[in-house]
């Protein structure tokens, strides 16, 4: 705070310094006391008031801080000549207003100051900062141009140009604004030239955005080009501009020069080859070779002779790079040979034997590297199955004769195993051969542990990937055989690896999914927390656990997860403006655009939108036994209309998907797909080929899911109030008038809900009636059944008041739909409980389905019942006797009693099943799991476990180092099944608590009737 000392608002520094010292040392009470003394001497000083407001805000007294700030603002705007206005006072006020989410107040203070002192650059920069915080790009541009006219400085002009770019890229500004920005720059260059490399980059980008590639190249070649001092960067930019101008030959020369200077630049080689072959894909994506689809050469229009000549030229150039290379770690030239041959094959001119030979050479040089498999995946795709098997056999033969450094041999062996897995023939091999692969991987890991004895605990172990690969194989065996032992072994080897080194995040992610699948979600959440996911990783990694948590009874942990994620995002949005302004001040103009676009991308994140919706839905679920509490939560979200507005915003701006799907296990490539829940697909399983379509389908499903969830709080609110109008027409629970428009709005949302489910409204109603009578069925998956049950609940609430749905049996529409809802809930739960095996030995989705059914549709139904009961029996009021009204209310009371009784009986079915699971002796459950791997036969699970046991006894006598040896001594395989059982019991107990609380609540409600 030293920069803030001096005269501020006429107050001497010696009086202010002790207050800032107290603030900096967090002695806020002392600072507040001194601030009071300062105000007694300077009662009308805006700076003294601003200091007090800052202290109060730091103490968490936000309301008092705002009141003091507003007083300071009033004094400031009084235009008293005795009042000194300076940037120190204004910036202090701005800090407080910003933290209190009152940015407009700070802006108005600066606007007043700038109107009073129109040529004060310091105040104008403060105002520019306010506009940056508000993302007011037009006002940023206007104030920046004013500063430029006053000072004539290049930085202020660039601030204006960046503001114009932001209007086009991140707002509704038309591209004609680019002409304005270009005109401003041209005029400045004519009189002052440019002096900063960043200013030149902005100018080039501006021309590129207008497709003026020739002009941009001319500037780069002229005197201004000297501002770009790194030759390689200049050549890359020239090559990029020439490519966009479709001037391929000079572009290829530029990229060739870059490769001569930087021979390991793989991206540059792809650009070089693309320009040589005049590949039209260069104009859309120059860095993604996966776009070059097999048997498709339509993007290249060269004649055969020209194509051959240019390919030959590329081959010669690559040979020169290899010959000139004096660094054995350069991979690009060798990959370049493979890429050239791949392109030839795709155009019908290549030789697959040549690519196999080149792959072998690449393996000999770089096969020990962890990146080897990912390097060559693209080239394997042009080989048929026969050639892939030839390559695999050749690689295995090469391994037999390779010797030398043990770490290199281990790396090569690991790469061959990864290639075998990538080729995909594991899914057609006999089970015993696949078992042998898992055994071999586990043995290799254990045998090579001594290589890691000198490594630090945080260093990656040699052969660390082997256990992840063995886990993948064991999970595949479980999928094929449904033998639980394989699933237990897959978990066991990962936990074994974490015992030796607890920092392996790959093991932890796999365990998150395996424990979730086995209904041991507390263990999964524990492993997720051990990943220590923070900051932006919350956006890219949380999809591994959040969907499972949303369908679980672990409400406290889910609340923490959602709160931490939303808090990070909200904090980032507040702080991103600071980063943007810093980029302006430090003249890093390209970062200005980047920061704003990144902030907008996060704001439109599907996960962020979903989390904001799910947080209040979770609160409603937690308080669903108390209608007053539930209504209070709904009121805080504007009775659900806030989320409807959010849903409408989604339609105007597309959502972003920032999840890193590549980190997910093979059996659950997206959050809504789990192969283990279905039958083994054998040879038809081809996740890599279907991955793109699967991700796009998941993104489409996410959009539907967000829309469904966004209308849910409003539908709950409307259902509660629409149903209560049944008791006394248009008279609410507390004597208030019930708006008849609510029922109309509920029908509109029901129609929208039916459309999301893929049906017109009346067709959806017919399906519900058909399912209730046993003539039709809701289709799987389970998530859709939950959505249909929600629809039924809200349909009943609407029909209680509207009576539009006439039942075929001629019964009263209101009481009839009560019965339909009760029967459907009961039917769904009975079917699931009957088909469910013991939780300890039956992994799958039965438990999450039951949790969702009880905590959502059944809870909403319970709230509707509470609303009707509250209307029937208003607290503190006596029932009035009246013929038809009393008779009608008696019928309603009877229907409610039946519904309550049915709900209690339905939940009791789940309670009984849960108690059966929890009452089983722990030793019995332990034996049911652990016996699956204590197999003395030659086939079936248990072989990997035997390898761990035998290796453990041998390794204890080996030279492994103190750290590894100590870890092995603490390892006990029997702990794994016990932890799984404990996690399952914790989950079941929490669910049982929820069910019992609902039964108790419903019974109390019945007594009131």
């Amino acid at each position: 705070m030293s920069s803030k000392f001096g005269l501020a608002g006429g107050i001497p520094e010696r009086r202010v310094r002790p207050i800032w010292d107290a603030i900096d040392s967090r002695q806020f009470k002392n600072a507040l006391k001194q601030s009071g003394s300062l105000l007694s001497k300077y009662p009308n000083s805006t700076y003294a008031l601003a200091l007090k407001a800052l202290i109060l805000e730091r103490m968490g007294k936000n309301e008092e801080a705002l009141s003091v700030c507003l007083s300071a603002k009033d004094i400031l705007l009084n235009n008293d000549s005795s009042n000194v206005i300076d940037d120190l006072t204004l910036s202090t006020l701005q800090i407080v207003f910003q933290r209190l989410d009152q940015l407009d107040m700070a802006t108005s203070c600066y606007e007043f100051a700038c109107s009073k002192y129109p040529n004060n650059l310091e105040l104008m920069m403060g105002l520019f900062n306010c506009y940056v915080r508000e993302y007011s790009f037009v006002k940023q541009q206007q104030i920046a141009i004013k500063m430029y006219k006053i000072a004539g400085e290049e930085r202020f002009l660039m601030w204006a140009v960046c503001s114009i770019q932001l209007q086009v890229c991140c707002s509704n500004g038309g591209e004609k604004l680019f002409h304005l920005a270009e005109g401003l720059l041209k005029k400045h260059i004519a009189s002052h030239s440019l002096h900063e490399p960043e200013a030149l980059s902005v100018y080039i980008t501006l021309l590129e955005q207008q497709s003026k590639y020739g002009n941009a190249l001319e500037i780069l070649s002229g005197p201004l080009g000297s501002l770009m001092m790194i030759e390689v960067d200049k050549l890359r930019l020239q090559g990029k501009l020439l490519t966009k101008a479709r001037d391929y030959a000079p572009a290829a020369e530029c990229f060739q020069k870059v490769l001569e200077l930087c021979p390991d630049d793989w991206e540059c080689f792809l650009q070089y080859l693309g320009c040589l072959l005049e590949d039209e894909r260069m104009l859309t994506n120059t860095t993604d070779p996966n776009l070059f689809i097999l048997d498709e050469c339509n993007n290249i229009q060269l004649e055969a002779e020209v194509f051959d000549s240019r390919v030959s030229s590329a081959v010669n150039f690559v040979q020169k790079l290899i010959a000139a290379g004096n660094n054995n770690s350069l991979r690009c030239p060798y990959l370049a040979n493979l890429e050239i041959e791949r392109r030839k094959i795709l155009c019908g001119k290549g030789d697959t034997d040549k690519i196999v030979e080149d792959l072998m050479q690449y393996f000999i040089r770089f096969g020990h590297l962890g990146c080897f498999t990912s390097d060559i995946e693209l080239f394997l795709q042009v080989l048929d199955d026969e050639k892939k098997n030839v390559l695999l056999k050749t690689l295995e033969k090469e391994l037999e004769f390779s010797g030398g450094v043990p770490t290199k041999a281990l790396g090569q062996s690991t790469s061959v195993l990864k290639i075998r897995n990538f080729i995909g023939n594991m899914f057609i091999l006999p089970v015993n051969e696949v078992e042998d692969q898992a055994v071999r991987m586990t043995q290799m890991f254990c045998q090579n542990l001594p290589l890691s004895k000198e490594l630090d605990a945080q260093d990656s172990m040699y052969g660390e990937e082997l256990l992840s690969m063995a886990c993948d194989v064991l999970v595949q065996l479980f999928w094929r055989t449904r033998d639980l032992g394989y699933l237990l072994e897959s978990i066991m080897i990962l936990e074994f690896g974490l015992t030796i080194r607890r920092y392996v995040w790959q093991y932890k992610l796999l365990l998150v999914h395996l424990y979730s699948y086995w209904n041991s979600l507390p263990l999964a959440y524990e492993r997720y927390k051990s990943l220590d996911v923070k900051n932006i990783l919350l956006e890219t990694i949380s999809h591994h656990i959040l969907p499972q948590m949303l369908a679980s009874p672990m409400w406290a942990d889910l609340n923490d997860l959602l709160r931490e994620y939303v808090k990070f995002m909200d904090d980032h949005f507040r702080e991103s403006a600071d980063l943007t302004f810093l980029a302006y001040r430090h003249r890093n103009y390209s970062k200005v655009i980047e920061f704003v676009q990144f902030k907008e991308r996060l704001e439109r994140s599907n996960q962020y939108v979903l989390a904001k919706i799910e947080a209040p839905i979770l609160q409603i679920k937690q308080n669903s036994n108390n209608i007053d509490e539930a209504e209070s939560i709904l009121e805080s979200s504007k009775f659900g209309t806030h989320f409807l507005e959010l849903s409408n915003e989604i339609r105007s701006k597309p959502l972003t998907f920032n999840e890193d799907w590549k980190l997910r296990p093979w059996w659950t490539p997206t959050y809504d797909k789990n192969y283990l829940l279905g039958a083994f697909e054998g040879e038809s399983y081809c996740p890599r080929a279907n991955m793109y379509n699967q991700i796009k389908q998941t993104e489409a499903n996410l959009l539907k899911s967000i829309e469904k969830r966004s209308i849910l709080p409003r539908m709950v609110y409307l259902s509660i109030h629409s149903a209560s109008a049944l008791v006394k027409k248009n008279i609410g629970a507390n004597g208030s008038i019930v708006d008849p428009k609510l029922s109309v709005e509920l029908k509109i949302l029901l129609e929208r809900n039916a459309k999301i489910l893929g049906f017109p409204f009346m067709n959806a109603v017919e399906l519900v009636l058909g399912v209730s009578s046993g003539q039709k069925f809701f289709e799987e998956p389970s998530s859709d059944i939950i959505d249909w049950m929600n629809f039924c609940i809200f349909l009943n609430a609407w029909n209680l008041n509207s009576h539009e749905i006439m039942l075929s049996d001629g019964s009263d529409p209101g009481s009839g739909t009560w019965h339909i809802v009760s029967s459907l809930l009961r039917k769904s739960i009975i079917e699931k409980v009957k088909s469910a095996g013991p939780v300890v030995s039956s992994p799958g989705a039965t438990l999450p389905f039951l949790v969702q059914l009880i905590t959502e549709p059944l809870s909403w139904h319970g709230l509707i019942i509470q609303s009707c009961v509250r209307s029937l029996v208003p607290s503190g009021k006596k029932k009035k006797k009246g013929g038809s009204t009393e008779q009608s209310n008696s019928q309603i009371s009877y229907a409610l009693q039946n519904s309550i009784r049915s709900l209690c009986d339905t939940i009791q079915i789940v309670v009984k099943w849960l108690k059966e699971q929890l009452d089983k002796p722990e030793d019995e459950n332990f034996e049911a799991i652990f016996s699956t791997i204590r197999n003395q036969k030659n086939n079936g699970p248990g072989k990997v476990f035997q390898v761990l046991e035998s290796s453990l006894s041998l390794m204890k006598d080996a030279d492994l180092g103190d750290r590894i040896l100590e870890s092995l001594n603490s390892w006990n395989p029997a702990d794994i099944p016990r932890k799984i059982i404990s996690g399952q019991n914790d989950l079941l107990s929490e669910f049982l608590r929820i069910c019992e609380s609902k039964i108790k609540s419903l019974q109390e409600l019945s007594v009131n009737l």
Side-chain angles (χ1 to χ4, degrees):
M1 290 297 179
S2 59
S3 64
K4 294 186 180 295
F5 296 138
L7 286 177
I11 302 176
E13 178 188 344
R14 60 187 175 78
R15 294 191 177 276
V16 177
R17 182 183 290 275
I19 298 175
W20 277 114
D21 288 342
I23 292 172
D24 289 343
S25 59
R26 302 185 63 80
Q27 297 176 14
F28 298 128
K29 287 186 179 180
N30 184 27
L32 187 62
K33 184 179 178 182
Q34 294 183 60
S35 171
S37 301
L38 186 68
L39 273 169
S40 65
K41 291 183 179 291
Y42 305 94
N44 294 320
S45 167
T46 50
Y47 182 56
L49 284 167
L51 267 180
K52 182 179 180 181
L54 179 66
I55 296 163
L56 288 168
E57 189 278 327
R58 295 283 180 90
M59 295 174 75
K61 300 179 179 181
N62 290 354
E63 289 184 6
E64 291 182 52
L66 181 59
S67 176
V68 173
C69 261
L70 291 174
S71 299
K73 176 175 174 280
D74 290 340
I75 293 172
L76 187 74
L77 300 183
N78 277 339
N79 206 12
D80 188 346
S81 58
S82 63
N83 236 344
V84 179
I85 299 176
D86 62 357
D87 184 59
L88 179 55
T89 302
L90 292 170
S91 62
T92 307
L93 277 173
Q94 185 195 40
I95 290 169
V96 185
F97 276 131
Q98 180 192 345
R99 289 177 176 169
L100 298 175
D101 291 325
Q102 302 286 339
L103 285 175
D104 56 326
M105 298 286 186
T107 304
S108 65
C109 291
Y110 267 104
E111 285 174 340
F112 172 77
C114 288
S115 66
K116 191 172 181 180
Y117 303 103
N119 293 324
N120 188 315
L121 279 178
E122 196 173 48
L123 294 177
M124 293 172 83
M125 287 171 66
L127 180 57
F128 181 83
N129 186 13
C130 288
Y131 291 147
V132 168
R133 292 182 187 283
E134 292 179 351
Y135 296 93
S136 301
F137 305 133
V138 175
K139 291 181 178 179
Q140 283 177 217
Q141 173 201 334
Q142 292 168 348
I143 196 70
I145 288 176
K146 283 183 183 178
M147 288 189 284
Y148 174 64
K149 287 179 178 177
I150 292 169
E153 293 183 29
E154 183 179 293
R155 59 171 173 158
F156 297 134
L157 174 66
M158 299 315 300
W159 289 11
V161 170
C162 285
S163 300
I164 291 171
Q165 285 183 303
L166 287 169
Q167 288 175 58
V168 180
C169 300
C170 305
S171 190
N172 300 321
E175 293 190 5
K176 289 183 179 179
L177 286 171
F178 284 145
H179 299 306
L180 171 61
E182 185 184 353
L184 289 170
L185 280 168
K186 279 184 176 179
K187 187 176 179 182
H188 179 82
I189 291 168
S191 57
H192 299 86
S193 188
L194 290 178
H195 302 91
E196 297 174 17
E198 272 288 313
L200 175 63
S201 295
V202 169
Y203 191 18
I204 297 294
T205 303
L206 191 63
L207 293 170
E208 191 179 345
Q209 287 168 326
Q210 300 175 78
S211 301
K212 295 182 178 180
Y213 307 119
N215 293 358
L217 286 162
E218 188 179 333
I219 288 166
L220 270 181
S221 305
L224 288 178
S226 61
L227 288 172
M228 197 167 282
M229 291 175 284
I230 301 175
E231 184 65 18
V232 169
D233 290 346
K234 188 174 179 180
L235 287 167
R236 282 197 185 99
L237 184 54
Q238 285 177 326
K240 175 186 172 185
L241 292 169
L242 287 164
T243 302
K244 289 193 172 183
R246 286 186 167 84
D247 201 352
Y248 292 118
E253 290 177 12
C254 287
F255 291 129
Q256 184 171 327
K257 289 176 184 177
V258 173
L259 286 167
E260 288 169 354
L261 295 169
C262 304
D264 209 28
D265 190 335
W266 175 239
E267 181 181 325
C268 183
F269 174 77
L270 292 176
Q271 292 169 323
Y272 161 74
L273 187 59
C275 287
L276 264 187
L277 301 179
E278 298 184 12
D279 188 348
E280 290 293 319
R281 291 176 307 119
M282 298 290 293
L283 302 175
T284 54
N285 190 324
T286 58
T287 60
D288 187 4
N290 291 291
L291 290 178
F292 211 89
I293 303 169
L294 190 63
D295 295 331
E296 186 175 313
C297 208
N298 297 332
N299 295 300
I300 297 175
Q301 307 296 330
L302 298 178
E303 294 182 1
E305 291 183 4
V306 177
F307 178 85
D308 293 341
S309 171
R310 293 190 180 179
V311 165
S312 177
S313 173
V315 169
N316 292 335
F317 175 61
V318 169
Q319 293 307 315
K320 286 180 183 177
L321 288 179
I322 292 173
N326 53 7
N327 187 343
N328 290 330
S329 65
L330 297 180
R331 302 184 346 257
C332 175
Y334 300 95
L335 285 172
N337 272 332
L338 286 163
E339 177 62 15
I340 292 168
E341 199 60 41
R342 186 181 78 93
R343 298 283 183 110
K344 288 167 66 178
I345 289 172
L346 291 174
C347 290
K349 296 175 176 289
D351 181 2
T352 52
D353 289 332
K354 174 72 166 58
I355 210 166
V356 168
E357 182 184 337
D358 287 344
L359 283 168
M360 276 305 304
Q361 292 303 313
Y362 191 76
F363 174 77
I364 292 167
R365 285 180 174 274
F366 304 111
H368 61 288
L369 299 178
C371 62
F372 171 79
T373 308
S374 59
D375 282 351
I376 68 165
E377 280 180 1
L378 188 64
F379 311 115
L380 291 174
Q381 292 175 17
V382 298
L383 300 178
D384 57 26
D385 290 341
E386 183 183 347
K387 291 296 181 185
K388 286 177 184 176
N389 288 324
V390 168
L391 173 66
L392 189 59
K393 289 177 182 177
T394 313
L395 289 172
E396 289 173 341
K397 189 174 181 180
E398 174 66 27
L399 276 181
E400 294 176 9
F401 298 100
S402 64
V405 183
T407 53
K408 186 173 181 179
L410 176 62
Q412 288 180 326
S413 299
T414 304
S415 292
V416 171
L417 290 170
K418 284 158 79 173
I419 293 296
R420 175 186 286 277
N421 188 43
F422 177 82
I423 288 173
N425 60 1
M426 297 282 277
F427 286 88
I428 59 175
L429 290 175
V431 167
N432 62 332
E433 289 187 31
V434 179
E435 275 181 355
D436 292 341
Q437 289 294 325
V439 169
R440 182 184 169 195
M441 292 171 187
T442 310
Q443 283 176 331
M444 284 174 62
F445 175 81
C446 295
Q447 290 167 0
N448 287 281
L449 263 180
L451 297 176
S452 304
K453 66 179 180 181
E454 302 295 335
L455 297 178
D456 186 77
Q458 295 191 14
D459 292 333
S460 295
M461 294 180 291
Y462 292 109
E464 198 169 78
E465 292 172 292
L466 288 166
L467 291 187
S468 300
M469 293 159 61
C471 169
D472 286 345
V473 172
L474 289 165
V475 173
Q476 185 220 121
L477 285 168
F478 167 73
W479 188 29
R480 291 174 70 166
T481 65
R482 291 295 165 184
D483 197 320
L484 201 62
Y486 291 123
L487 193 62
L488 178 59
E489 284 183 312
S490 68
I491 291 173
M492 191 168 284
I493 57 174
L494 295 174
E495 290 288 4
F496 176 73
L498 286 172
T499 301
I500 298 170
R501 180 173 174 265
R502 60 189 177 92
Y503 299 103
V504 190
W505 61 266
Q506 293 93 334
Y507 297 172
K508 293 178 182 180
L509 278 183
L510 290 168
L511 285 169
V512 165
H513 291 280
L514 290 171
Y515 284 139
S516 298
Y517 174 67
W518 208 340
N519 294 315
S520 191
L521 196 56
L523 271 184
Y525 186 60
E526 183 183 318
R527 279 303 177 201
Y528 174 79
K529 287 194 295 183
S530 71
L531 286 165
D532 199 22
V533 176
K534 292 178 180 177
N535 301 327
I536 197 60
L537 287 178
L538 288 165
E539 170 68 5
T540 59
I541 299 295
S542 60
H543 64 93
H544 289 277
I545 191 69
L546 185 56
Q548 299 94 296
M549 294 293 286
L550 288 172
S552 81
M554 296 170 59
W555 287 344
D557 293 324
L558 173 58
N559 190 49
D560 291 342
L561 191 66
L562 290 170
R563 187 178 64 247
E564 183 184 1
Y565 170 68
V566 172
K567 182 180 183 299
F568 159 72
M569 297 291 273
D570 290 342
D571 288 347
H572 175 78
F573 298 146
R574 278 192 291 269
E575 294 164 5
S576 61
D578 293 329
L579 296 173
T580 306
F581 187 66
L582 277 174
Y584 274 117
R585 295 204 74 148
H586 290 285
R587 308 181 188 196
N588 197 343
Y589 306 118
S590 58
K591 286 293 178 186
V592 169
I593 312 292
E594 185 181 319
F595 287 149
V596 174
Q597 288 180 331
F598 183 64
K599 177 249 183 189
E600 287 206 336
R601 180 179 179 86
L602 287 185
E603 274 186 327
R604 292 184 285 110
S605 158
N606 76 90
Q607 282 194 123
Y608 178 57
V609 172
L610 188 64
K612 287 200 295 184
I613 296 170
E614 289 292 351
I617 290 176
L618 172 62
Q619 289 181 306
I620 297 169
K621 289 196 287 189
Q622 288 175 305
N623 294 279
S624 60
N625 294 339
N626 186 325
I627 189 170
D628 294 327
E629 292 290 337
E631 285 185 321
S632 175
I633 293 160
L634 285 165
E635 185 179 356
S636 65
S637 62
K638 298 197 293 187
F639 306 106
T641 57
H642 171 71
F643 302 112
L644 288 179
E645 293 164 6
L646 197 64
S647 177
N648 294 331
E649 286 177 20
I650 292 168
R651 295 179 179 182
S652 60
K653 283 189 176 181
L655 292 180
T656 57
F657 299 88
N658 306 315
E659 297 88 345
D660 190 349
W661 299 114
K662 292 179 182 177
L663 297 182
R664 293 183 70 90
W666 66 263
W667 64 88
T668 172
T670 57
Y671 88 97
D672 59 346
K673 179 67 177 177
N674 191 328
Y675 287 102
L676 302 184
L677 296 176
F680 179 59
E681 296 180 10
E683 293 182 44
S684 63
Y685 169 75
C686 191
R688 290 185 183 86
N690 300 328
M691 190 63 185
Y692 177 80
N693 292 333
Q694 178 63 48
I695 289 173
K696 287 301 172 186
Q697 184 60 51
T698 295
E699 291 177 357
N701 292 343
L702 273 168
L703 292 175
K704 281 187 178 180
S705 177
I706 288 171
E707 187 175 4
K708 279 185 293 192
R709 304 301 280 179
S710 67
I711 64 176
L712 195 146
R714 183 63 178 169
M715 293 183 80
V716 170
Y717 171 78
L718 293 172
S719 297
I720 288 171
H721 289 272
S722 183
S724 66
L726 165 71
V727 181
K728 296 177 181 178
K729 287 297 181 182
N730 298 333
I731 301 298
N734 300 312
S736 59
I737 301 299
V738 176
D739 188 351
K741 292 180 181 177
L742 295 182
S743 183
V744 176
E745 185 185 352
L746 180 55
K747 184 179 180 182
I748 292 170
L749 291 180
L750 280 167
E751 289 171 346
R752 184 172 168 183
N753 195 6
K755 186 178 179 182
I756 296 169
L757 292 169
F759 286 80
F761 176 65
M762 288 312 300
N763 290 20
V765 172
E766 287 173 13
L767 178 61
V768 168
L769 297 177
V771 173
S772 68
S773 62
Q775 296 173 1
K776 297 180 181 179
F777 300 94
F778 291 134
E779 293 182 5
E780 293 282 352
S782 298
S783 59
D784 286 348
I785 296 177
I786 300 294
D787 293 332
W788 275 109
M789 292 308 304
N790 281 335
F791 177 80
C792 296
I793 301 300
F794 301 136
L795 181 69
N796 170 57
W798 168 73
N799 195 55
L800 291 175
N801 193 24
S802 67
H803 301 287
E804 287 190 27
I805 300 174
M806 304 304 296
L807 304 180
S808 57
D809 60 2
S811 60
D812 175 64
S815 60
T817 50
W818 280 116
H819 174 70
I820 287 172
V821 168
S822 299
S823 66
L824 284 175
L825 285 169
R826 184 178 180 84
K827 182 180 179 182
S828 298
I829 284 177
I830 288 175
E831 285 178 358
K832 276 295 175 183
V833 169
K834 278 186 177 179
S835 63
V839 171
V840 72
S841 57
S842 304
T846 297
L847 185 59
F849 174 80
L850 289 172
V851 170
Q852 281 187 286
L853 202 58
I854 296 290
T855 59
E856 292 204 9
L858 195 143
S859 293
W860 315 147
H861 193 47
L863 284 170
I864 292 165
I865 291 173
Q866 289 178 62
S867 176
C868 291
V869 171
R870 185 175 63 179
S871 299
L872 271 174
V873 192
S875 58
K877 294 187 178 182
K878 294 182 180 179
K879 294 182 183 179
K880 293 182 180 180
K881 293 184 179 181
S884 61
T885 302
E886 188 176 353
Q887 184 180 0
S888 174
N889 286 355
S890 176
Q891 290 173 352
I892 295 166
S893 178
Y894 179 74
L896 289 171
Q897 284 282 15
N898 285 341
S899 291
I900 291 171
R901 193 179 303 111
S902 175
L903 282 185
C904 287
D905 292 345
T906 300
I907 300 172
Q908 195 62 50
I909 294 168
V910 179
V911 168
K912 181 183 176 185
W913 178 74
L914 289 171
K915 286 182 176 178
E916 285 173 0
Q917 307 301 313
L918 288 166
D919 289 345
K920 288 182 181 178
E922 184 181 337
D923 290 341
E924 182 184 324
N925 285 335
F926 173 81
E927 191 60 31
I929 297 178
F930 205 49
S931 61
T932 59
I933 59 172
R934 287 188 298 205
N935 184 7
Q936 303 302 319
K937 300 176 183 178
N938 292 328
N939 52 12
K943 292 181 181 178
V944 170
F945 173 60
Q946 290 170 15
V947 169
L948 286 180
E949 281 200 314
S950 59
S951 299
L952 205 60
S953 58
L954 293 172
M955 286 189 292
K956 286 182 178 179
D957 299 324
D959 184 15
L960 297 173
D962 294 339
R963 181 183 62 81
I964 295 178
L965 199 58
E966 185 179 340
S967 300
L968 292 175
N969 288 331
S970 68
W971 165 254
N972 183 2
D975 290 341
I976 306 303
R978 295 193 188 280
K979 282 169 62 180
I980 293 171
I981 294 163
S982 175
Q984 290 172 341
N985 286 344
D986 289 345
L987 194 69
L988 293 170
S989 298
E990 191 60 29
F991 186 28
L992 178 62
R993 183 192 64 78
I994 291 170
C995 290
E996 288 179 336
S997 71
K998 289 201 174 297
I999 291 175
K1000 183 180 178 183
S1001 171
L1002 288 167
Q1003 287 172 342
E1004 290 173 356
L1005 209 58
S1006 181
V1007 171
N1008 290 337
L1009 280 172

